Amino acid sequence: MAETLSAPALPSVYRQLLDAIDVGIHVINHEGKSIIYNRKMSEIEDMEKEDVLHKNIMDIFLFNKEEESRLLQALNHGEEHHNAKQVYFNFKGQEITTINDTFPLIYEGKRIGAVEVAKDITRLERLTRENARDKQDARFTFDQIIGDSNAIREVVENARRATRTTSSVLISGETGTGKELFAQSIHNGSERASKPFISQNCAALPDSLIEGILFGSVKGAFTGAADHPGLFEQADGGTLMLDEINSLSAPLQAKLLRAIQEKSIRRIGDTKNRSVDVRIIATINEDPAVSLEKNRLREDLYYRLSVVSILVPPLRQRKEDIPVLANHFVNKYNKRFQLNVPGIAKGVQQLFQEYDWPGNVRELEHMVEGAMNLIYYDERIDYTHLPVHVRNKFPSYNDISHAPEALVVPNTPPTKPLQEYMEEVEKVYIEQILKRHSGNVTQAADELGLSRQSLQYRLRKYRLNIRQS
């Protein structure tokens, strides 16, 4: 071997071997230029080999300062790092987090290069940051729960009573019914309102990650582990909401039960328990009896969580709340989209009452939001603005086929331009509807699915001198 490393063509068998290894390998020479860069390292750093090979490391990676490049520390100062975490950015600006072994290559007492062996933990770091939220995040109160039906008012009243104690709460209900809204309202109505409210979807992560997120870890507990408080510690004094609790494995449910009963947790890799004062609010998106029967929820954990049990009814069981909910969402997206949509056409309101709403309140909101992406400034939401799957289910609600009376189409020569012909049809149709309502512009506009202002504009446009009420 020479005193310096160059970038010779590796024999094919060596290239295959390096690319088959499931760890990243990156080697630089005495000039800091990359000479070996295997397939796994390319995947970890999301760059092609040609982006890296024969280039100086500082030209393709970004560090807060040059000393933070472990490869350069090894090359320039002979430093070695083992099982050490490193955060840096590729030339695309993407953040990369790895656990590295880095050391110099020495020949006849001289440093002629450096090598780094890397394991990727980028995804783990990102998921930890996204899910370990350490701030109070409860925005809703009972006053913001919309609906006057007996079904929803009874649930609200029971939930209000739960604010007086610190007992565990189990909220069940179908997806989209607003379970977290109730959880936040209970927290904000309790003496813990000034303390953290932290929520975690238990179905979003595998057990290997969720355990560390819930209970925390100590340095050295596993590769790349650092001293990190879990959500129980972060929510100390406040409320921890665990969404879809039935998605946790049985062993993790057992550990959760112990933490609730003993009011203490033990971080992964630790030898001591830590006391925590946390109120648990758990949610489940199916009948608890079904979860118990199918062994998705431990019976002992269920009884511990359901000290207070709240069932949020699906939207199909409180359809009298649909008009006020729909109007709320129209107002919400009027402000967000800077529109002036006056409301929902009568035919669509009737359709909403017949639809079974499998996605519940969340589906209603999304349907209103989607419709308002399709309409102009001041039209009402009508049949044509609804999703295709809903229109296919209710074809008879097409506004045209349900016009109050047959439209008299003007006798126009076939050579008439389409725009002019359509305007004549619109004029005749408006005259018919106004006649039906004795010239009452407000009533006519409602049936036409227009705002009063929009109808008045058309009256002026077509010079319709009809008595207005």
Side-chain angles (χ1 to χ4, degrees):
M1 180 181 289
E3 292 185 0
T4 59
L5 282 175
S6 58
L10 286 173
S12 174
V13 65
Y14 292 155
R15 289 200 303 270
Q16 292 179 42
L17 177 61
L18 286 171
D19 285 339
I21 296 173
D22 196 34
V23 292
I25 305 291
H26 190 176
V27 180
I28 61 173
N29 65 11
H30 69 290
E31 296 177 332
K33 292 184 177 180
S34 301
I35 59 172
I36 296 177
Y37 191 74
N38 76 339
R39 175 193 55 79
K40 185 62 178 181
M41 188 63 93
S42 173
E43 293 176 358
I44 291 172
E45 296 177 339
D46 193 23
M47 293 190 297
E48 301 298 328
K49 290 185 179 182
E50 52 267 29
D51 295 331
V52 178
L53 289 175
H54 318 302
K55 297 179 182 178
N56 191 291
I57 190 171
M58 295 306 294
D59 293 335
I60 48 181
F61 297 103
L62 177 64
F63 303 90
N64 291 333
K65 53 186 178 180
E66 181 175 323
E67 289 72 27
E68 290 189 347
S69 167
R70 301 280 168 71
L71 276 170
L72 290 181
Q73 290 179 32
L75 175 65
N76 297 331
H77 308 290
E79 296 182 13
E80 294 189 14
H81 294 87
H82 298 282
N83 203 31
K85 176 179 166 182
Q86 182 173 212
V87 180
Y88 56 102
F89 299 84
N90 65 16
F91 72 86
K92 302 175 186 177
Q94 296 173 329
E95 183 178 293
I96 301 158
T97 308
T98 54
I99 299 296
N100 301 336
D101 289 311
T102 313
F103 49 89
L105 292 173
I106 299 175
Y107 178 70
E108 294 183 351
K110 294 182 180 180
R111 292 189 296 272
I112 60 171
V115 61
E116 188 161 78
V117 180
K119 298 177 182 177
D120 185 21
I121 61 167
T122 303
R123 181 172 177 269
L124 173 61
E125 288 289 302
R126 183 177 67 251
L127 290 172
T128 299
R129 286 198 300 268
E130 289 176 354
N131 290 281
R133 294 178 291 175
D134 58 358
K135 62 181 183 299
Q136 182 171 327
D137 192 29
R139 306 181 305 278
F140 296 104
T141 64
F142 288 114
D143 294 336
Q144 294 169 277
I145 297 177
I146 297 170
D148 295 316
S149 63
N150 291 333
I152 198 66
R153 295 277 55 129
E154 181 180 352
V155 178
V156 170
E157 179 58 31
N158 290 337
R160 283 186 186 275
R161 294 173 184 172
T163 63
R164 300 174 299 180
T165 69
T166 60
S167 299
S168 298
V169 180
L170 179 64
I171 303 175
S172 57
E174 297 176 7
T175 297
T177 51
K179 296 184 292 294
E180 182 161 356
L181 193 153
F182 276 89
Q184 291 188 18
S185 298
I186 291 171
H187 170 80
N188 281 330
S190 72
E191 294 181 352
R192 295 172 177 256
S194 62
K195 299 296 183 179
F197 175 90
I198 297 177
S199 65
Q200 172 61 51
N201 187 327
C202 298
L205 299 171
D207 281 355
S208 58
L209 293 181
I210 194 69
E211 183 175 1
I213 287 173
L214 288 176
F215 302 111
S217 60
V218 296
K219 187 174 182 180
F222 52 86
T223 301
D227 286 323
H228 179 75
L231 297 187
F232 269 88
E233 290 180 72
Q234 295 176 37
D236 193 32
T239 302
L240 176 58
M241 180 189 130
L242 300 175
D243 193 19
E244 297 188 57
I245 192 74
N246 52 326
S247 65
L248 292 179
S249 67
L252 201 48
Q253 288 188 29
K255 189 169 183 179
L256 176 62
L257 176 62
R258 286 197 303 272
I260 297 173
Q261 290 177 332
E262 299 171 7
K263 299 186 183 300
S264 67
I265 58 95
R266 179 178 294 185
R267 294 184 183 181
I268 297 176
D270 205 352
T271 58
K272 64 177 182 179
N273 291 337
R274 301 167 189 258
S275 297
V276 289
D277 174 22
V278 176
R279 183 181 199 177
I280 300 295
I281 299 181
T283 71
I284 188 171
N285 57 10
E286 64 181 356
D287 188 333
V290 174
S291 288
L292 291 169
E293 180 183 351
K294 296 185 178 295
N295 296 318
R296 288 196 283 263
L297 182 64
R298 287 176 58 109
E299 189 172 0
D300 48 5
L301 179 60
Y302 166 71
Y303 289 121
R304 188 65 188 83
L305 290 173
S306 61
V307 176
V308 177
S309 186
I310 294 173
L311 172 61
V312 183
L315 188 56
R316 63 182 174 275
Q317 293 180 8
R318 45 178 291 220
K319 286 190 173 181
E320 56 266 50
D321 292 330
I322 290 177
V324 66
L325 282 165
N327 186 61
H328 168 77
F329 295 136
V330 168
N331 292 334
K332 174 181 176 178
Y333 290 103
N334 268 334
K335 295 177 182 177
R336 181 171 297 180
F337 299 155
Q338 297 183 343
L339 294 174
N340 190 32
V341 174
I344 297 174
K346 285 185 178 179
V348 174
Q349 293 179 24
Q350 175 84 23
L351 183 154
F352 280 3
Q353 291 297 318
E354 294 192 28
Y355 187 52
D356 56 4
W357 299 105
N360 294 293
V361 178
R362 183 182 297 141
E363 183 183 9
L364 174 59
E365 178 175 3
H366 290 171
M367 197 175 295
V368 171
E369 180 184 2
M372 292 178 68
N373 273 274
L374 301 177
I375 65 181
Y376 293 104
Y377 180 71
D378 59 358
E379 294 179 285
R380 288 184 186 274
I381 294 175
D382 64 30
Y383 178 86
T384 63
H385 301 133
L386 300 181
V388 173
H389 72 276
V390 175
R391 283 184 281 149
N392 288 342
K393 191 170 184 178
F394 296 93
S396 63
Y397 272 86
N398 189 314
D399 288 341
I400 295 175
S401 64
H402 269 66
E405 58 187 57
L407 173 63
V408 179
V409 179
N411 185 14
T412 306
T415 56
K416 195 88 167 180
L418 178 62
Q419 180 64 33
E420 189 174 340
Y421 178 76
M422 294 302 295
E423 288 181 351
E424 289 187 13
V425 173
E426 183 178 50
K427 177 181 177 181
V428 171
Y429 188 50
I430 289 174
E431 286 178 316
Q432 285 185 229
I433 301 303
L434 280 166
K435 182 179 179 181
R436 282 176 52 82
H437 293 284
S438 303
N440 187 306
V441 175
T442 300
Q443 294 177 5
D446 188 58
E447 183 166 334
L448 289 166
L450 299 171
S451 67
R452 181 184 175 93
Q453 180 182 7
S454 183
L455 178 55
Q456 287 175 332
Y457 162 76
R458 287 168 170 79
L459 294 178
R460 292 192 298 270
K461 175 182 177 181
Y462 299 128
R463 297 176 180 174
L464 295 175
N465 297 317
I466 298 178
R467 179 182 62 84
Q468 301 180 26
S469 300

